[in-house]
Amino acid sequence: MSPSLLTPRVRRVAIVALGLLWAASIGGTAATMSNGKPFAGFAILILGWTEVPLGQPAWLANLFLLAAWLLIARTRVTRPRLLTILGIALMACAIAALFWRTIPDTTGPKAIVTYHAGYYLWMAAVIGTSLAAVAIASTESSRE
């Protein structure tokens, strides 16, 4: 990717676009549970951390997104290796989210019957940020 395409302004526009995707995912429905109830993205943001100790690390992407966006927004990325690690961690979270099959509920985990726009928007934000992080880190590393 050409360094001219990764100017600080372009990177900031990308962060805004990816942030809007993430915000839309939180505001929408992410999945329908086996009991027929829809589950909002915001509820998953609030409750998703409970799945991390149970072997579903995808929720951690929300934390990695913030860290990656902060590094990408800088005029010059001073820690390209950290940005690469965040990009890889985000991709690992996206892959883990492909195997997301249950949602925690007050009565226990419920199977996911259908994924909705919130899930796909969240995945787009995570994968987009992952790719941007790795591309920017590789460009910044080649300048050193």
Side-chain angles (χ1 to χ4, degrees):
M1 190 170 280
S2 169
S4 63
L5 293 177
L6 299 175
T7 64
R9 181 175 180 187
V10 170
R11 295 190 322 213
R12 287 186 190 103
V13 169
I15 291 168
V16 169
L18 292 164
L20 288 173
L21 282 175
W22 181 84
S25 77
I26 300 305
T29 301
T32 300
M33 299 185 294
S34 58
N35 61 3
K37 291 183 181 178
F39 213 77
F42 183 74
I44 293 172
L45 178 63
I46 299 301
L47 297 173
W49 66 270
T50 62
E51 294 289 304
V52 174
L54 302 174
Q56 179 48 280
W59 180 87
L60 293 171
N62 296 299
L63 302 175
F64 298 149
L65 283 171
L66 179 60
W69 292 339
L70 290 172
L71 285 175
I72 290 169
R74 302 188 74 184
T75 303
R76 176 145 165 73
V77 176
T78 56
R79 312 231 12 218
R81 183 173 291 159
L82 177 59
L83 191 56
T84 300
I85 291 168
L86 285 169
I88 292 167
L90 283 164
M91 191 58 73
C93 288
I95 291 168
L98 293 173
F99 301 100
W100 179 43
R101 300 288 181 251
T102 61
I103 296 176
D105 193 1
T106 55
T107 60
K110 298 284 185 256
I112 297 171
V113 177
T114 309
Y115 296 104
H116 296 288
Y119 171 80
Y120 296 110
L121 290 170
W122 183 84
M123 288 289 279
V126 171
I127 293 169
T129 302
S130 172
L131 296 174
V134 171
I136 291 165
S138 68
T139 300
E140 293 293 328
S141 292
S142 66
R143 289 183 188 174
E144 293 178 352

